[in-house]
């Protein structure tokens, strides 16, 4: 008697095949991201290499780039530490008003950046509620690079919290209890049990906060003071170039920001992938 083999049912997938999905992905990536970025480089290429280098080497441009990237890195590093602490409190503890506090974390996402800048300038200005007392102590926040850091910390904190929070929630508390049972101190538990699993998420939040801060404009110009060679940011200098109809100069500065941002984000992503690989090896 012959055995009839029924055909195995094909597994249906929600999304199309790999080829079609990759095609759509590359199409939208090129249309939304790559083509506009290529336009920046093509526009600045009209100056020639010597013209681009002349703009990049101007003291005002170098100062604006250093202010933008320096303050963005400082604010992102501060948010990486503070955001991790905030995520820890939200995940590990229960207290009255927790839901309200959790919802307030997302306010910088919904609040217009110009409104945030005006509020920070009014708060930390010479006559502000906090600014007057800080200036009495010799600390000037408004119209200095420190004010820029404060604004970038405000708009970048939610990125770190929302990236670290779900990862921290997935880490089972039994590991921390087991470490304490074996005699580990609180700092040993944090450094050797919790943080090794959190580092990739912390770096991802750091990268997002940095990427948001380096190109921030609305919340910065009101509190920065916009003094050339002191507290002028690169996005503002690009706007000034556009108002002067110097489109090639504006795109040259934008190209410098793109190259520097890509290099820093590539380094962070490389470090993050290495940490993920080492974590997987540790689990095995």
């Amino acid at each position: 008697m012959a055995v009839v083999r029924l055909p195995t049912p094909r597994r249906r997938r929600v999304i199309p095949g790999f080829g079609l999905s990759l095609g759509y992905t590359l199409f939208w990536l090129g249309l939304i991201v790559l083509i506009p970025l290529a336009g920046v480089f093509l526009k600045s290429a009209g100056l020639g290499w010597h013209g681009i280098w002349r703009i990049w080497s101007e003291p005002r441009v170098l100062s604006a780039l250093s202010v933008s990237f320096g303050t963005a890195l400082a604010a992102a590093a501060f948010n990486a530490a503070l955001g991790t602490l905030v995520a820890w409190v939200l995940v590990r503890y229960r207290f009255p008003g927790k839901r309200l506090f959790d919802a307030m974390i997302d306010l910088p996402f919904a609040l217009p950046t110009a409104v945030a800048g005006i509020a920070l300038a009014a708060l930390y200005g010479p006559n502000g509620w906090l600014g007057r007392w800080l200036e009495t102590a010799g600390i000037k926040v408004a119209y200095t690079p420190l004010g820029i850091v404060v604004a970038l910390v405000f708009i970048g904190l939610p990125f770190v919290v929302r990236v670290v929070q779900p990862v921290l929630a997935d880490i089972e508390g039994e590991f921390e209890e087991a470490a304490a049972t074996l005699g580990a101190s609180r700092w040993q538990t944090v450094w050797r049990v919790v943080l090794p699993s959190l580092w990739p998420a912390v770096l991802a939040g750091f990268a997002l906060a940095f990427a948001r801060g380096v190109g921030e404009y609305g919340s910065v110009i009101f509190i920065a003071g916009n003094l050339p060679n002191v507290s002028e940011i690169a996005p503002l200098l690009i706007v000034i170039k556009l108002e002067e109809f110097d489109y090639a100069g504006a795109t040259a500065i934008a190209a410098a920001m793109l190259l520097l941002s890509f290099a820093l984000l590539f380094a962070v992503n490389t470090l993050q992938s290495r940490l993920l690989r080492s974590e997987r090896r540790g689990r095995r």
Side-chain angles (χ1 to χ4, degrees):
M1 182 178 178
V3 178
V4 179
R5 295 183 178 179
L6 298 176
T8 57
R10 295 182 59 184
R11 184 179 179 182
R12 298 187 62 184
R13 299 181 179 179
V14 178
I15 60 176
F18 173 75
L20 185 60
S21 301
L22 181 62
Y24 278 118
T25 301
L26 294 178
F27 171 75
W28 283 111
L29 180 64
L31 185 65
I32 303 299
V33 179
L34 298 181
I35 292 178
L37 296 184
V40 171
F41 288 102
L42 290 175
K43 185 66 177 180
S44 60
L47 294 171
W49 172 247
H50 294 288
I52 294 175
W53 183 255
R54 178 181 57 81
I55 293 176
W56 286 357
S57 58
E58 290 180 1
R60 186 177 181 182
V61 175
L62 291 175
S63 176
L65 290 173
S66 64
V67 169
S68 291
F69 283 87
T71 54
L73 284 171
F78 184 82
N79 278 328
L82 182 63
T84 304
L85 179 61
V86 172
W88 178 277
V89 172
L90 291 176
V91 172
R92 288 290 188 262
Y93 299 100
R94 295 180 180 179
F95 52 90
K98 177 181 177 179
R99 292 185 178 180
L100 178 62
F101 182 69
D102 192 11
M104 290 175 61
I105 298 296
D106 294 329
L107 276 179
F109 286 149
L111 193 68
T113 55
V115 176
I118 294 173
L120 292 174
L123 184 64
Y124 291 100
N127 298 322
W129 293 345
L130 295 179
R132 65 180 68 181
W133 301 108
L134 290 174
E135 288 199 1
T136 303
I139 303 174
K140 187 176 181 180
V141 177
Y143 317 131
T144 64
L146 180 58
I148 301 176
V149 174
V150 171
L152 297 184
V153 167
F154 174 79
I155 58 108
L157 179 63
F159 290 96
V160 180
V161 175
R162 294 314 182 205
V163 171
V164 174
Q165 191 174 1
V167 177
L168 187 59
D170 289 338
I171 299 177
E172 298 180 0
E174 287 78 4
F175 294 106
E176 302 166 29
E177 296 174 0
T181 303
L182 294 174
S185 63
R186 292 185 178 181
W187 283 111
Q188 289 176 333
T189 302
V190 170
W191 282 103
R192 297 186 179 183
V193 177
V194 179
L195 282 183
S197 301
L198 277 184
W199 278 124
V202 173
L203 283 176
F206 171 86
L208 291 174
F210 167 77
R212 171 68 188 273
V214 76
E216 180 61 23
Y217 179 80
S219 63
V220 172
I221 57 173
F222 292 99
I223 196 173
N226 309 320
L227 299 176
N229 300 320
V230 177
S231 60
E232 186 179 51
I233 59 175
L236 176 62
L237 188 56
I238 292 174
V239 174
I240 293 174
K241 292 284 187 181
L242 292 175
E243 292 177 348
E244 295 174 351
F245 301 101
D246 185 7
Y247 300 115
T251 53
I253 300 173
M257 293 190 67
L258 285 173
L259 292 174
L260 291 172
S261 299
F262 179 79
L264 289 171
L265 292 176
F266 180 78
V268 172
N269 289 334
T270 302
L271 179 59
Q272 182 184 10
S273 62
R274 290 181 178 178
L275 288 174
L276 284 172
R277 286 197 297 267
S278 63
E279 181 188 354
R280 291 170 183 171
R281 292 172 186 169
R283 290 179 179 178
R284 293 176 183 175

